[in-house]
Every structure is written in structure tokens, then in C-alpha cells.
Amino acid sequence: MTTTIITTAPGRSAGGTTKAAGVDGPRLFNRLCATCLTLFALIWLVPFFWALATSLRSDGSITQHPTSPFAGGWSFHAYSYAWDHYPIGWWYLNSLVISLLAVVFTVGFCSMAGFALAFLRFRGRGVIIALVTAGLMLPTEALVLPQFIEYRSLHLLGTYWALVLPSIAAPVSVFVFHAFFRGIPTPLIEAARIDGASWWRVYASVCMPISRPAAATVAILTFINSWNAFLWPLLVLNQTKSQTIPVGLASLVNNSNIQYAEVMASSVLGFLPLIAVFLVFQRQITQGIATTGIR
């Protein structure tokens, strides 16, 4: 009796067909995402590194070797010079006070507006929602002239309130709270109303405690926008010590004699608080965007 043993080559079946190597789709997608994120991170980090390296150099080495970030050595002379010769401390204080006031009032008023539009039924509610939605498409520059005339008639020019009040009625903040409150289960609100809670009690004791992601998102976005605002503070604040960080940094640029190291050092001092805020509250930003559906 003869026994025949049939051997097949690796990767080939007994019938002579070759098995196609499977492509790991999830792993390929993860690698592609990691590559894109790395490229975007480099694009964003290169200007930051360049500003930081320039702020640590001397003006002479920057003029002689502008494209070499390591030429001439590094020192903190530009930071001490900028802090001693420019009112950066006052600019920090002004930006901090204005941003914090804007955060407190924006979260308070916009949360109440979003709550009213989400749960209360009154005449003209649809028109107000349409106006809020239309406000999202209205550019900020279009409101500069009427706001300037309004605040000049109220004698608020040169004060903190001229910068705080325009940010209170932010359509995007109202939209964020409205979208979050619409996601709260209706039986929860009805149970509170059946127990005898007023609408103010429902807002303060039921809705606001569970809307921390939306409140954190609005607070962080308002803080960043208020800190980075340039055009409106430039028109409203007329004294040097009352200026904010962006306006003060713009005043350091002199066409006749640009001190590159000092300007870069002041810029680094200006955006360090924003980086700190983002690093501390990045989880709240992610949760707020995920729960409110911002795109």
C-alpha cells in the first residue's frame, strides 16, 4: 500500500490558490491618525519654539544670524528688560480682571438664557432662538461702530465694563447651554416641578450642577477670547497702564528700532497663561464639546 503525502507551499492552499494577506484596517487607521497628529503638532510647535528661542537671544545675534536659533547663546536678559521697562504687570492685571469678569457674567447670564429657551414656553421664543442662531454668523467687526457709539453715550469708554459687557450676550455661549439643557431628560425636570420647585430652583439646584462640562467650556472659551481680544480694547482703552496684553504687545513694535528679543519675550509672557489654562482644563473642554455637540 502506497501512501502519498501532498505538501503545499506556505501561503498556498491544497487546491493551488494563494491566500490573500489580510490588511489590518484599525491599525493602519491608527497609524495614519498618529502621523497626522504629529505633523499638526509640529506645525503648531515650531512657531512657539521659534518665539521662545528668539526671546532668549540678544538683538545683535538675531540681526546677524536671524535663521539660527542657537547662535549667540541664550540668556533671560530680554525677559528682565521687558518686565522692568514695560508695564507688563499692569497689562497682566487688566487682562486677568477683564477675563475673569467676562467669565463670571457670561456663564451666569448665558446659562439663564439657555435654560429659558430650552424649558420655558413663551411668545416669541422661536424668534429669539432664530436671532441667537443668526448672531453666530454675524462678524464681530460689524458691531464695533454701534458698540462704540453706545458705550460712549453711557460714558463707559476707558473702563473695564466697556470690555466685559459686550462678551456677556455671546450667542455661541447661549447656544452651548441651550444644547446641553435640551439633552437633560424631561422627566427629571417634571419631577422637580411636581415636587413644588420653582423654575429658579430647577435652574439653580437641578440643571446647573449637572451642566459643569458646558459651563467649563463656556468659561474657558470666554477667557481665551477675552484675553486675546485686540480690536475692541484698542479702541476703548486709551491709557497705557489700562491696556491689555495684546494691545500692550502691539505698542512695543517700533518701525524705526524693533527689539526682537524683548518683543518675543513679552509675547511668550503673554500666551503662557493661555497654555496653562488649556493644559489644566483640557479634559473639561473635551467633555463640554462632546456633551454639547459643538463642531
Side-chain angles (χ1 to χ4, degrees):
M1 180 177 181
T2 305
T3 303
T4 304
I5 301 176
I6 301 175
T7 59
T8 58
R12 183 177 298 273
S13 61
T17 59
T18 303
K19 294 181 179 180
V23 179
D24 193 352
R27 180 177 297 179
L28 181 62
F29 178 76
N30 292 336
R31 290 180 178 179
L32 180 62
C33 292
T35 303
C36 294
L37 290 176
T38 303
L39 292 176
F40 280 113
L42 291 176
I43 293 174
W44 292 329
L45 289 177
V46 165
F48 173 75
F49 171 76
W50 190 270
L52 182 61
T54 305
S55 65
L56 296 174
R57 299 172 61 191
S58 62
D59 291 330
S61 63
I62 295 173
T63 305
Q64 295 176 1
H65 306 283
T67 59
S68 179
F70 302 100
W74 287 356
S75 67
F76 291 95
H77 172 73
Y79 288 91
S80 60
Y81 181 88
W83 187 268
D84 294 336
H85 291 78
Y86 305 124
I88 298 181
W90 285 103
W91 297 344
Y92 261 109
L93 180 61
N94 295 330
S95 297
L96 184 62
V97 172
I98 292 170
S99 300
L100 291 179
L101 289 176
V103 167
V104 172
F105 284 101
T106 301
V107 172
F109 284 94
C110 291
S111 61
M112 288 188 287
F115 177 83
L117 294 177
F119 297 112
L120 301 184
R121 297 295 180 266
F122 53 90
R123 182 177 300 178
R125 174 176 171 272
V127 176
I128 296 178
I129 295 177
L131 292 176
V132 172
T133 306
L136 297 174
M137 299 177 289
L138 187 65
T140 307
E141 292 77 9
L143 302 176
V144 170
L145 181 58
Q147 283 183 352
F148 185 85
I149 297 175
E150 178 183 1
Y151 288 104
R152 185 181 60 181
S153 62
L154 296 175
H155 304 286
L156 293 178
L157 296 181
T159 63
Y160 287 159
W161 295 112
L163 300 176
V164 174
L165 294 178
S167 62
I168 293 178
V172 63
S173 301
V174 177
F175 177 78
V176 168
F177 279 110
H178 176 261
F180 186 89
F181 289 147
R182 287 290 299 271
I184 297 178
T186 305
L188 180 64
I189 306 299
E190 294 177 349
R193 292 289 292 168
I194 292 174
D195 291 339
S198 62
W199 282 116
W200 175 258
R201 184 68 179 273
V202 172
Y203 161 78
S205 302
V206 178
C207 293
M208 287 305 295
I210 63 178
S211 63
R212 292 180 180 177
T217 302
V218 171
I220 295 170
L221 295 180
T222 302
F223 185 88
I224 293 176
N225 292 332
S226 299
W227 188 278
N228 289 331
F230 175 75
L231 179 59
W232 183 243
L234 178 64
L235 298 175
V236 173
L237 302 177
N238 48 16
Q239 296 181 359
T240 303
K241 286 188 176 182
S242 65
Q243 294 175 348
T244 58
I245 285 289
V247 180
L249 295 180
S251 64
L252 300 181
V253 180
N254 188 359
N255 294 328
S256 60
N257 184 18
I258 301 178
Q259 297 175 332
Y260 297 99
E262 286 76 11
V263 172
M264 287 299 177
S266 303
S267 301
V268 171
L269 292 175
F271 61 69
L272 281 181
L274 297 181
I275 297 178
V277 169
F278 179 79
L279 291 178
V280 173
F281 298 103
Q282 58 179 338
R283 180 173 298 180
Q284 285 79 0
I285 295 176
T286 304
Q287 292 178 354
I289 293 176
T291 53
T292 56
I294 302 177
R295 295 295 184 266

